[in-house]
Amino acid sequence: MRSRVAGPTDHVVVVGAGLGGLSAALRLAGAGRAVTVLERADVPGGRAGVLRDGEHVFDTGPTVLTMPDLIADALDCVGESLSDWLDLAPVRPLYRARFADGSAIDVHAEVDAMAESVAALCGPREAAGYRRFADYVTRLYRLEMRDFIDRNIDSPLGLLRPSLARLVAMGGFRRLAPKVATFLHDERLQRVFSFQAMYAGLSPYDALAIYAVIGYMDSVAGVFYPRGGMHAVPLALAGAAEKHGVVFRYGEEVTHVEVSGDRAVAVHTAGGERVSCDAVVLNPDLPVARRDLLGRPLRRRLRYSPSCFLLLAGLRTAYPDQAHHTISFGHAWREVFDDVLGGRLMRDPSFLVTAPPAADGSPGRSAYALFPTPNLDAPIDWEVEAPRYRDQVVSTLESRGWPVFGERVEVEHVTTPLDWAERGMERGTPFAASHSFTQTGPFRPGNHWGQNVVFAGSGTRPGVGVPMVLISGRLAAERITGPDPAYRSRAYP
């Protein structure tokens, strides 16, 4: 694999204005390239989209924002300041975890405050264990981010650096759940700090301990909420990019990339236009982009993450006592992953509910309920199952602390794995290929094809989640511009 795009790179076409594409566009513009972004929707955002229904406004994708410094860095590439484009408020608590025995704990980013919460629920021994865990994941994050996540690694040999030995010594290649249990003995806390493995498409009993860094990103580094909702993030990135010369063309669906040999020379739109280019950044889901746009499907068979059933509900009245983010755990735990990864709907669900505040900070009247489900590899007919499962979701919410939820629903929108697939996500999952060992780091589908095609988004390196997707845009841009030494010295002094 070439480490850099070959040939001229004066004009770059970015296909898709998702977070990865926007991150790449800003960096390319800052490096002096002429950039054209073609986006089939009428607004930027991709999976971080927005849906308006009367007075209700819903984020249709991620609702948890962590690591805002990555947004600031993308804006800094064109000399813009984060505070001029986004108003970010820390979410306190980060989220509330509720358990089947009726207990609950509020999760805080401040280690002292979180240790107090742990002590109140589980006693001083667990609080001390939490402090050790917070120190562990902080060290793990710093080690992984600098040398393994935030750089282009083209082969397994690129992993062979002194930090790899330190990662091994820290137990990073042990399984996540047993590693968490060395710090925390209470099963409730073990769930709080290992459920993030689901985002990586794995059970915490199968995921590597290196994925404890996902817990660091929210549970230690903090969670933030942009005024105006998560869609404010792509609006800010696109606005800054446009200010600095990036051309955005919305409502333009790209049908294929024209290739001569192993070099892209143009992209073609559904309207019949041919847009010539020197390099292309493809932001759609990588397997879909390679197959449907590039005509070069992946040769390897990937294992995909579970999907989710998403209920967006506009309510007549709010639940004023709810946290911004609530994770509700059932009695089952290991069985939850057995169900979802085994192709079955959860029999005893664990799920996320987000209830963002209204514009004035008062309790909002929208609810975002996310229930993990199998992806489309499972034999579930969602055209038949969706109405029944919607009622089960509402019933579960009502029994878990959201009384008479169904009666309060004023408007609603349901997204199933079938809908995710229709939006261009392979196997109907918004979480892309899972992060098994053979699909992690240099083993994940690469972000460079041929002479001048690069990829951004969760389907390539480094992987899933808003922070990782923003990094993917930087790594894609570096394939075109080359690494930025100033960035690394600034990010890792």
Side-chain angles (χ1 to χ4, degrees):
M1 177 188 290
R2 298 181 179 91
S3 62
R4 286 275 304 273
V5 161
T9 59
D10 296 332
H11 179 218
V12 182
V13 169
V14 178
V15 179
L19 294 178
L22 293 170
S23 172
L26 281 163
R27 299 173 195 285
L28 291 166
R33 284 9 180 228
V35 182
T36 301
V37 179
L38 303 178
E39 167 57 50
R40 66 179 180 178
D42 294 329
V43 294
R47 296 179 200 186
V50 65
L51 188 155
R52 293 178 172 84
D53 189 335
E55 63 180 14
H56 298 284
V57 181
F58 304 100
D59 288 311
T60 59
T63 61
V64 179
L65 178 62
T66 63
M67 312 302 293
D69 286 352
L70 295 171
I71 302 172
D73 180 72
L75 292 169
D76 184 63
C77 289
V78 291
E80 295 291 332
S81 172
L82 175 67
S83 60
D84 291 335
W85 289 92
L86 281 173
D87 182 6
L88 298 180
V91 175
R92 295 193 176 98
L94 307 180
Y95 53 88
R96 179 168 296 149
R98 291 180 178 170
F99 306 99
D101 64 1
S103 61
I105 187 170
D106 284 350
V107 178
H108 304 280
E110 299 80 9
V111 172
D112 289 343
M114 187 61 201
E116 290 179 8
S117 289
V118 171
L121 180 68
C122 307
R125 179 188 177 193
E126 289 295 273
Y130 164 74
R131 289 182 181 276
R132 293 193 301 273
F133 176 77
D135 176 69
Y136 173 77
V137 295
T138 300
R139 291 185 289 115
L140 193 69
Y141 169 80
R142 290 172 180 165
L143 184 61
E144 287 185 53
M145 180 62 78
R146 180 186 65 241
D147 288 342
F148 302 107
I149 294 174
D150 197 10
R151 65 168 65 237
N152 279 309
I153 300 176
D154 291 326
S155 82
L157 294 177
L159 298 173
L160 299 179
R161 51 183 71 237
S163 49
L164 179 63
R166 293 197 293 273
L167 199 58
V168 172
M170 291 179 67
F173 293 95
R174 294 177 58 187
R175 299 302 172 186
L176 177 61
K179 186 63 180 178
V180 172
T182 65
F183 299 98
L184 302 164
H185 300 93
D186 191 289
E187 184 182 291
R188 294 169 297 181
L189 297 180
Q190 292 174 9
R191 295 185 183 194
V192 167
F193 294 108
S194 67
F195 79 88
Q196 297 90 349
M198 181 68 83
Y199 300 148
L202 300 167
S203 160
Y205 300 95
D206 296 324
L208 297 177
I210 55 175
Y211 288 110
V213 298
I214 304 176
Y216 167 85
M217 290 178 185
D218 56 16
S219 302
V220 178
V223 173
F224 298 83
Y225 181 68
R227 304 291 185 192
M230 286 289 289
H231 188 62
V233 174
L235 287 178
L237 295 176
E242 191 167 26
K243 176 182 175 182
H244 290 271
V246 175
V247 176
F248 284 84
R249 294 174 53 182
Y250 297 107
E252 292 277 11
E253 181 177 1
V254 171
T255 57
H256 69 279
V257 178
E258 180 184 338
V259 175
S260 176
D262 64 350
R263 185 171 187 85
V265 295
V267 300
H268 292 252
T269 71
E273 184 178 358
R274 180 183 184 272
V275 183
S276 62
C277 57
D278 297 313
V280 177
V281 178
L282 296 179
N283 192 207
D285 200 9
L286 182 142
V288 175
R290 286 198 54 142
R291 182 185 64 237
D292 297 348
L293 300 184
L294 191 58
R296 302 295 193 277
L298 285 171
R299 296 178 181 177
R300 60 187 290 199
R301 180 176 176 82
L302 297 176
R303 177 183 175 186
Y304 289 87
S305 297
S307 184
C308 64
F309 179 97
L310 177 61
L311 173 62
L312 303 174
L315 307 176
R316 292 183 174 86
T317 56
Y319 290 93
D321 297 329
Q322 297 295 330
H324 191 131
H325 301 292
T326 299
I327 299 172
S328 176
F329 295 102
H331 290 282
W333 183 233
R334 205 184 269 260
E335 296 82 359
V336 166
F337 299 95
D338 290 343
D339 282 347
V340 173
L341 294 168
R344 299 179 297 273
L345 295 173
M346 294 179 292
R347 290 166 289 183
D348 184 7
S350 291
F351 56 89
L352 168 71
V353 175
T354 295
D360 61 1
S362 63
R365 293 192 295 114
S366 63
Y368 171 117
L370 186 152
F371 281 59
T373 70
N375 61 40
L376 290 181
D377 286 334
I380 299 173
D381 184 347
W382 281 103
E383 290 185 348
V384 174
E385 186 66 32
R388 187 203 67 79
Y389 197 62
R390 177 269 178 199
D391 292 343
Q392 182 178 329
V393 164
V394 170
S395 176
T396 302
L397 289 168
E398 292 178 338
S399 68
R400 298 274 193 96
W402 289 268
V404 296
F405 186 91
E407 295 179 14
R408 297 194 189 192
V409 173
E410 189 171 48
V411 299
E412 67 177 75
H413 297 269
V414 162
T415 307
T416 73
L418 198 60
D419 298 311
W420 296 122
E422 290 174 352
R423 296 177 190 178
M425 298 170 210
E426 187 72 6
R427 302 298 198 277
T429 172
F431 305 113
S434 69
H435 286 260
S436 60
F437 178 77
T438 57
Q439 296 181 173
T440 293
F443 305 111
R444 198 164 181 80
N447 64 353
H448 188 190
W449 179 87
Q451 292 189 36
N452 64 340
V453 177
V454 294
F455 301 89
S458 58
T460 187
R461 304 163 189 170
V464 175
V466 171
M468 300 299 103
V469 167
L470 290 168
I471 291 173
S472 82
R474 189 179 64 75
L475 297 181
E478 284 192 353
R479 293 293 190 189
I480 297 170
T481 65
D484 177 7
Y487 165 77
R488 298 203 65 78
S489 62
R490 180 175 69 250
Y492 307 108

